Amino acid sequence: MKALLSVSDKTGVLDFARALHSLGVQLISTGGTAKLLAEAGLPVTEVAEVTGFPEMLDGRVKTLHPMVHGGLLARRDFPEHMAALQQHGIAPIDLLVVNLYPFEATVARAGCTLADAIENIDIGGPAMVRSAAKNWKDVAVLTDASQYAGVLAELQAAGQVSEATRFGLAVAAFNRISNYDAAISDYLSSVDTSAGVPAGDAAPARLAFPGQSNGRFVKLQDLRYGENPHQQAAFYRDLHPAPGSLVTAEQLQGKELSYNNIADADAAWECVKSFEAPACVIVKHANPCGVAVGQDPLEAYSKAFQTDPTSAFGGIIAFNRPLDGVAAQQVVKQFVEVLMAPDFTPEALAVFKAKANVRILKIALPESGGQTDWAQGRNAVDVKRVGSGMLLQSADNHEMTLADLKVVTVKQPTPEELQDLLFAWKVAKYVKSNAIVFCKGGMTMGVGAGQMSRLDSARIASIKAGHAGLSLQGTAVASDAFFPFRDGLDVVVDAGATCVIQPGGSMRDQEVIDAANERGVAMVTTGVRHFRH
């Protein structure tokens, strides 16, 4: 048996090569990999000895040769293939170990030049991988160090790599080549050539969106069905998911997640992560129906649940702090589909053992400077499919501070009102448009979502507060977009609001501001809109 090893990332390759040698496998290698093996005392044949042709062009050409590709591509069950190998003195290669030049890592470095990127485009490696993967019935191809142990175990146990493993390795190899080529395409088609092809030692200017978008996703699981039972569905993650994102969740108990569970869980998780203080978010049908902050998870949950107990039934609940037993005792009283937190105490998990169907997701958030980095795991780009195409946009990750607010009325908001306004604004960003959100004391008091008319959203928010037995007197109101007329403002003030936050920018801004002054309420503008469709 012959193995050709040519790796850029040499993690684990020396131990793997030693194990292959102990099994009687002949080792062939290139460049730095051959040097590593030889210095370790392993007998290794340089590829140049096999091809009879030296490496050239600074290593750009070394394995692109029939002595290599013939050995990889020849089918052992085709007599004419084996005769051709014998005629030309080509030995079959049974095992290929290749990982590629680090193109992705190179272009991710600050200051990477176009020349650096080009030099890290592997040619010979992908060619060998494709040859071996195409001939998977006879050749095992390894493209990642994580595959070494499994292949070695099979060789030690049976003297060969099983057909099922060879096929799986071939699939992984073609996936790797696909991802590699897509990364090259993404990078090169994002280079700004409006002033000519960039040269020199400076990093090239990059376009926000490349000329071709090559999304790469890995399937996590098939789902029972999609949004409705007659639809098929599956759940995928980014090739390199961000820490703290939903796809990194560990399911600790409960039924299999459904399509709608995942969609709603993402809405809840993204919202709860936006708060620094202990927070709880309850989501139903992609909209927050209760959001609150508190001294601890129990207080946050109790306040969030008060907003709309009816809608909270069968909802998705997310916490941005580990859930303890005391809070769990309250949550378990309600019907909940999915429960999420960065962690769960043993006491909390014990509480939910009796509710085996509740899906419990632990989503670990990374630590940054000793504090949890709540911003981690946010999407950089949002994607929406349209007929035979898609829309890409930078994600709405804008954060508002007190310094960003502009008071436009005679009445100034109090410090407490300013905090409520910021809280309401943060919640409104996660509510489907048109969105109207009443808040007070760090909790939502009424949420109006997804209406064609902003007036209807305001009325619905008020109605929901009434049904929950909550008074809207002295509340702060957020509107995700400007008030086109004063009527929307009048509705929220009639309901009891004393301060309002909105983007501004309407042709009738002054009319709305005048109405706020007339009604004696404070109004601040943000200059930022939060449509969510």
Side-chain angles (χ1 to χ4, degrees), residues 43 52 108 145 148 189 273 281 416 424 426 428 431 437 486 488 490:
Y148 296 168
S189 64
K273 284 196 305 180
V281 173
E416 292 77 13
K426 188 166 287 189
V431 177
V437 181
R486 68 167 290 167
D490 285 326

Side-chain angles (χ1 to χ4, degrees), residues 242-245 269-270 273 364-368 372-379:
S245 52
W269 188 243
E270 290 302 305
K273 284 196 305 180
L365 287 169
E367 299 293 322
S368 175
T372 301
D373 189 350
W374 300 109
Q376 286 289 330
R378 293 181 181 175
N379 292 328

Side-chain angles (χ1 to χ4, degrees), residues 1 13 24 46 64 80 86 95-96 116 144 163 219 222 248 257 282 308 336 390 397 399 422 424 427 465 482 499 528:
M1 178 181 284
V13 75
E46 289 253 14
L64 297 169
E80 57 270 32
Q86 187 173 8
L95 189 71
L96 178 71
D116 289 338
D144 190 88
E163 182 178 80
K219 186 163 76 171
D222 288 307
T248 67
L257 289 162
I282 307 173
D308 190 351
V336 54
M390 66 179 179
N397 291 329
E399 295 293 337
L422 281 178
V427 174
F482 60 64
C499 55
V528 175

Side-chain angles (χ1 to χ4, degrees), residues 155-196:
L155 288 172
Q156 291 169 334
Q160 63 180 0
V161 183
S162 69
E163 182 178 80
T165 296
R166 291 196 306 273
F167 182 74
L169 291 170
V171 172
F174 280 119
N175 287 344
R176 175 66 186 119
I177 298 301
S178 171
N179 293 332
Y180 193 73
D181 287 342
I184 295 169
S185 169
D186 283 347
Y187 173 81
L188 293 179
S189 64
S190 75
V191 173
D192 187 351
T193 59
S194 58

Side-chain angles (χ1 to χ4, degrees), residues 411-469:
K411 183 179 180 182
Q412 299 288 308
T414 66
E416 292 77 13
E417 287 177 328
L418 283 172
Q419 292 303 317
D420 281 337
L421 288 169
L422 281 178
F423 179 88
W425 183 249
K426 188 166 287 189
V427 174
K429 184 167 74 169
Y430 296 96
V431 177
K432 297 287 187 180
S433 298
N434 286 311
I436 294 290
V437 181
F438 288 83
C439 296
K440 186 176 183 180
M443 67 175 282
T444 47
M445 306 292 284
V447 179
Q451 300 305 304
M452 290 71 77
S453 160
R454 194 161 301 279
L455 275 173
D456 288 339
S457 290
R459 290 168 180 144
I460 288 171
S462 179
I463 291 168
K464 282 186 167 292
H467 287 169

Side-chain angles (χ1 to χ4, degrees), residues 249-267:
E250 176 188 358
Q251 186 166 351
L252 303 182
Q253 77 160 51
K255 295 188 298 184
E256 183 179 303
L257 289 162
S258 72
Y259 180 99
N260 291 329
N261 288 156
I262 294 167
D264 286 349
D266 186 60

